[in-house]
Amino acid sequence: MANPKKRVPENVPGDFFVDSTCIDCDACRQIAPSVFGEAAETSFVKAQPVASADRRQALQALLACPTGSIGCLGDDDVKAVMKDFPLAIEGPVYYCGYNSPKSYGGNSYFIKHAAGNWLIDSPKFVTPLVKQLEALGGIAHVFLTHRDDVADAERYAKHFGARRIIHRNEVSAQPGAEVGLDGEGPWPLAPGFLAIPTPGHTEGHCVLLYQERFLFTGDHLDWDRDARQLSASEDYCWYSWPQQAESMGRLAAYRFEWVLPGHGQRVHLPAAEMRHQIERLAESMRARSQA
């Protein structure tokens, strides 16, 4: 629980606040952008929620916060909001919430599928979410984009009897993984599911394309809210920026309309616009790598 005595000074007065344990992971700003803003290395409450929808989003952000850095002094029924997760994005695709500090607050996702449900990267292993996922039919497959965002994947796999899928160059983060991707790829994993190699951020980073519509991008690609364009981070590239640039360029060969990142803002764009954005980004990344 956040400590009101540690409120960051940027908070506006009111029930909701962010304390100094915030790691600036951006999760709250994605969930409740009308309530939370960004200061130097921290989130803060920029506007107290008034409308009931805004207040509920603020409570969802409180629950999703990986470090428990958001507090509320009101008499809201937080337990009722727990049942909101996983949050529907579109169709069978959901955002799990309960971001984990083990993955620096990375997002994870859930796909409800008749042939077995999928978890993409891992949230915290917490009872309220586990019960909701059980009610949705459990988890058959856990796709891990790379080593940074595995969090509690092993616990989820054990609890649900799921198989974990990760590239062999990342398997040291999940040594008991049931499926290790190897070779040049891409790898068809099941009808409608395609794993695509995107080395760069880490050596074995992969993304998952579902139904040629949803691209789960790990730490490879996200949406820049301010510049309103697709983006990648050279500052957080741990392996090879030139390789990440080339991996980005190859994504232009695939059709998709959603970018669903582990870190950063998700976005929905027409497929043609998405391809244009990818091509622009890859070109700019190549130019930076050659400078």
Side-chain angles (χ1 to χ4, degrees):
M1 179 64 181
N3 187 342
K5 294 181 180 180
K6 295 182 179 180
R7 291 171 181 253
V8 297
E10 292 87 353
N11 290 305
V12 299
D15 288 346
F16 283 89
F17 64 92
V18 176
D19 76 11
S20 59
T21 62
C22 173
I23 59 173
D24 196 24
C25 73
D26 193 55
C28 66
R29 303 192 296 268
Q30 296 168 34
I31 296 169
S34 66
V35 176
F36 298 97
E38 182 179 11
E41 299 182 350
T42 187
S43 291
F44 71 100
V45 175
K46 65 180 182 180
Q48 292 291 333
V50 177
S52 59
D54 290 341
R55 197 166 187 92
R56 194 166 191 102
Q57 286 183 339
L59 291 169
Q60 291 169 352
L62 182 155
L63 291 169
C65 176
T67 50
S69 302
I70 299 172
C72 177
L73 302 177
D75 58 358
D76 304 81
D77 185 359
V78 178
K79 288 186 177 181
V81 180
M82 290 177 178
K83 296 181 180 179
D84 292 354
F85 293 104
L87 291 173
I89 294 176
E90 182 185 287
V93 176
Y94 299 76
Y95 158 62
C96 291
Y98 296 100
N99 295 30
S100 173
K102 297 176 185 177
S103 58
Y104 207 80
N107 299 319
S108 56
Y109 303 92
F110 174 81
I111 301 174
K112 185 169 174 56
H113 195 276
N117 299 333
W118 290 67
L119 182 68
I120 296 90
D121 290 331
S122 174
K124 290 178 185 175
F125 189 90
V126 292
T127 298
L129 180 61
V130 170
K131 287 183 175 179
Q132 291 295 100
L133 296 179
E134 287 173 345
L136 288 166
I139 298 167
H141 316 278
V142 180
F143 182 85
L144 299 168
T145 57
H146 67 300
R147 65 178 62 248
D148 297 345
D149 292 353
V150 301
D152 290 334
E154 184 176 2
R155 291 188 68 184
Y156 276 100
K158 183 177 180 180
H159 181 83
F160 287 103
R163 63 170 191 158
R164 289 162 290 167
I165 305 165
I166 192 169
H167 194 278
R168 290 198 182 278
N169 288 335
E170 309 290 298
V171 79
S172 61
Q174 285 286 283
E178 291 73 21
V179 179
L181 301 175
D182 204 357
E184 296 183 358
W187 303 270
L189 303 178
F193 291 85
L194 183 69
I196 303 168
T198 48
H201 173 77
T202 59
E203 185 178 5
H205 194 290
C206 295
V207 299
L208 180 67
L209 179 61
Y210 175 54
Q211 291 185 338
E212 296 188 319
R213 182 169 179 80
F214 303 94
L215 188 70
F216 301 90
T217 61
D219 291 355
H220 178 69
L221 172 67
D222 67 0
W223 178 253
D224 186 321
R225 288 189 297 264
D226 298 324
R228 299 196 61 76
Q229 61 187 22
L230 291 178
S231 178
S233 174
E234 187 172 6
D235 290 343
Y236 295 99
C237 178
W238 311 130
Y239 179 65
S240 169
W241 184 248
Q243 281 201 32
Q244 190 167 346
E246 293 308 309
S247 296
M248 194 70 69
R250 288 193 294 273
L251 285 183
Y254 298 93
R255 185 188 187 282
F256 53 94
E257 299 176 12
W258 278 96
V259 162
L260 300 165
H263 289 90
Q265 182 68 48
R266 63 179 177 257
V267 69
H268 179 211
L269 298 171
E273 172 62 14
M274 195 70 83
R275 176 174 288 109
H276 172 74
Q277 289 262 353
I278 288 287
E279 290 171 343
R280 175 207 58 78
L281 176 57
E283 183 178 353
S284 69
M285 290 172 69
R286 291 188 190 105
R288 279 153 55 191
S289 68
Q290 295 166 4

